[in-house]
């Protein structure tokens, strides 16, 4: 069976890298960053695709203003949780 | 930033491999199987974890009867969609 990929992972990673320095987190270590990444993905609807063409299409759908706002909200909420309960 | 993993991918793959032969699909090719896999994952709540210990814990939570039933329902629904609209 071929591999599948959740394009939401790319979108969350892009925005997390971009805004990580601005987020109200108590700790900026790599472990906390990975926890925010995992927690954010668990709050967002997955977008799995089977192949490259599907990936481009799905990625485009995640670049709308609304989609970016939804992702940023999930990241901010996750950052608060990880700040309150760090596991590093 | 460390890698994260959606443990739901393992659970869906296990059950899909186990029941693929019994599923009412019009085509059993690898492409259709990957499409059912991706479509199923898009219907299920993701369980991303950061590390190995988190993976074991999350995997255990996906082995309950209720969780397996939820996953099998997603697989069966996805199989109907892929059967009706194959992309191979």
């Amino acid at each position: 069976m071929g591999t599948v990929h959740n394009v939401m992972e790319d979108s969350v990673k892009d925005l997390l890298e971009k805004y990580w320095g601005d987020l109200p987190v108590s700790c900026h270590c790599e472990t906390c960053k990975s926890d925010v990444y995992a927690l954010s993905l668990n709050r967002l609807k997955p977008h799995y695709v089977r192949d490259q063409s599907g990936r481009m299409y799905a990625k485009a759908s995640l670049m709308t203003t609304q989609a970016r706002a939804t992702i940023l909200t999930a990241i901010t909420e996750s950052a608060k949780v990880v700040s309150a309960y760090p596991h590093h």
Side-chain angles (χ1 to χ4, degrees), chain A:
Chain A
M1 182 164 63
T3 57
V4 293
H5 176 68
N6 182 9
V7 178
M8 187 59 88
E9 289 181 21
D10 309 323
S11 302
V12 172
K13 186 176 271 187
D14 291 347
L15 288 176
L16 186 54
E17 296 289 2
K18 189 173 180 183
Y19 292 105
W20 180 241
D22 308 325
L23 283 170
V25 285
S26 54
C27 170
H28 274 89
C29 76
E30 284 301 297
T31 300
C32 285
K33 194 176 184 182
S34 298
D35 277 340
V36 172
Y37 185 31
L39 218 58
S40 303
L41 285 165
N42 286 337
R43 291 167 183 269
L44 294 161
K45 188 173 176 354
H47 278 61
Y48 278 88
V49 294
R50 169 170 52 86
D51 57 17
Q52 206 52 31
S53 65
R55 189 180 285 214
M56 291 307 130
Y57 179 80
K59 198 157 192 174
S61 73
L62 289 179
M63 296 180 82
T64 65
T65 310
Q66 175 57 52
R68 287 163 65 88
T70 303
I71 294 168
L72 269 175
T73 302
I75 289 174
T76 309
E77 284 168 3
S78 303
K80 282 181 200 156
V81 171
V82 172
S83 280
Y85 307 98
H87 281 79
H88 50 194

